[in-house]
Amino acid sequence: MIIAIVLILVVIIVLLMVYNISIHNKIQNFTNLNQKIANLNILQDFMNTTSEITSVDEKIKRINDILIERYEIKYSTIVVYDGAEYVVKASNVDQRHWDTLRNLHNEPIFKESIQKAIPKYITIDNENERLPYQKMEFGRAKSAMFFPLFIDNVYIGYWIIEGNKPHEFDNVDVTILEVVKNNIVSVLRTLETQQVIENTVRDDKFSKLKSAEYLFGEGKKIINRYTTSTVCLFKITNLEDINKEINRETGNEIIKQVAEVTKESLSSEYIFVRYMGPKFAIVFSGIELDAVNDFMKILKENIEELKIPAVDLDEEDVEEDELYATPKINAVISTYYKGTALEKLTKVMEEYLDNADPDENKINFI
């Protein structure tokens, strides 16, 4: 009888153990699922940030704010090498410490981490110590995790998180932070193209206008305040002939005066750039196609009434009709919808102008 009771108790204990293991696994799976959902939500926040109409620097700062808020990190700093120097792209640490933070790649404690592309965790054991890289600070950070950042095996900088308690990151799941680090790298990769565009914007020497890159960067912020806008690309169709038959100096003067006449007619809300060579682009923010058509008819007439004296010519050696140059333009107009690819639209418009009959001289619609 006693043996039977013991056997029953053993069976019950085994069943309870199995049940507890099952419950534990379910809780663990639930926790992992919640963590995956949280990571997906944060990744979605990252993606939403990259699609915002703001500068690259503003986007990186927003991403860092998301990390601090969602992972409850005390201090988070993203440092990127810009081709010339290491720059603190985002940090919630007081700026007086930034000089230290942007030189962590020189610290012996982190060199192996960079060489082997692995994270580095450092902490202190008591309040009287300081982290190896700390110079003037003593009580701010007492734990830190350093993550080198790579794009296609090329080292581009690092992400460092810091805590204000000793051993604060002892039980942190490093694999989750690796996922976060990879998300940071993905965002930086995504923003590379935008940064190139922002950095290549220039002022044209003759027209005094911004280059086409401005249209796809800063200019797009203004354009995307509206659901729809109208884009116009126009080309001085006889500029090449003027350059050949008179001279390039006169052609440059044509560019200058066409830009001046056009700019005087435009509202400051509209984006006007020298697109490329003889081509100019105007984006009429929030304006319908029909209204732009009427405006362009008037602008076209004003431009083609210009009579620009030839530059640096000896009047005794040229025909009367070579003493002056008059520009002729061909234009194409289309609608731009917020959130679509503006650069693809202008490319189609540019191809139309480049493939049009050289004598075509009107306003077209795409």
Side-chain angles (χ1 to χ4, degrees), residues 198-213:
E198 290 178 0
N199 291 339
T200 54
V201 172
R202 66 193 185 282
D203 290 331
D204 178 60
K205 179 180 177 182
F206 301 107
S207 66
K208 308 301 181 187
L209 300 174
K210 297 290 185 185
S211 61
E213 290 79 12

Side-chain angles (χ1 to χ4, degrees), residues 196-287:
V196 168
I197 290 173
E198 290 178 0
N199 291 339
T200 54
V201 172
R202 66 193 185 282
D203 290 331
D204 178 60
K205 179 180 177 182
F206 301 107
S207 66
K208 308 301 181 187
L209 300 174
K210 297 290 185 185
S211 61
E213 290 79 12
Y214 175 82
L215 185 65
F216 307 125
E218 290 295 312
K220 202 170 182 180
K221 296 179 189 178
I222 299 172
I223 300 165
N224 278 351
R225 293 174 187 167
Y226 305 90
T227 304
T228 61
S229 298
T230 300
V231 181
C232 174
L233 220 65
F234 70 88
K235 177 180 181 180
I236 305 173
T237 56
N238 60 340
L239 183 65
E240 187 176 347
D241 293 335
I242 292 169
N243 287 339
K244 289 180 180 178
E245 295 171 8
I246 304 179
N247 55 36
R248 188 168 291 276
E249 288 75 16
T250 303
N252 292 338
E253 187 63 23
I254 290 279
I255 291 288
K256 179 181 176 182
Q257 294 206 30
V258 167
E260 288 179 355
V261 168
T262 305
K263 194 171 184 178
E264 288 171 359
S265 307
L266 293 174
S267 163
S268 59
E269 275 291 291
Y270 305 151
I271 308 300
F272 180 38
V273 300
R274 186 174 181 186
Y275 190 80
M276 187 181 295
K279 295 183 283 287
F280 295 82
I282 311 172
V283 180
F284 299 86
S285 311
I287 303 300

Side-chain angles (χ1 to χ4, degrees), residues 125-158:
D125 291 319
N126 62 69
E127 297 289 341
N128 296 322
E129 296 177 342
R130 70 171 69 187
L131 297 175
Y133 62 86
Q134 293 178 325
K135 308 300 180 187
M136 56 182 290
E137 50 193 318
F138 194 70
R140 182 183 66 81
K142 298 182 176 68
S143 300
M145 291 198 74
F146 178 92
F147 297 88
L149 305 176
F150 291 81
I151 292 181
D152 297 331
N153 295 320
V154 176
Y155 172 65
I156 61 161
Y158 48 87

Side-chain angles (χ1 to χ4, degrees), residues 294-312:
D294 294 337
F295 171 85
M296 284 304 302
K297 287 179 180 177
I298 297 172
L299 178 61
K300 184 176 184 298
E301 290 175 2
N302 292 339
I303 289 174
E304 295 183 343
E305 287 175 357
L306 291 172
K307 198 173 183 182
I308 299 168
V311 179
D312 295 335

Side-chain angles (χ1 to χ4, degrees), residues 181-197:
K181 181 207 71 175
N182 292 336
N183 289 339
I184 293 173
V185 171
S186 297
V187 170
L188 291 175
R189 185 198 298 271
T190 303
L191 297 179
E192 264 188 322
T193 303
Q194 182 183 343
Q195 190 141 34
V196 168
I197 290 173

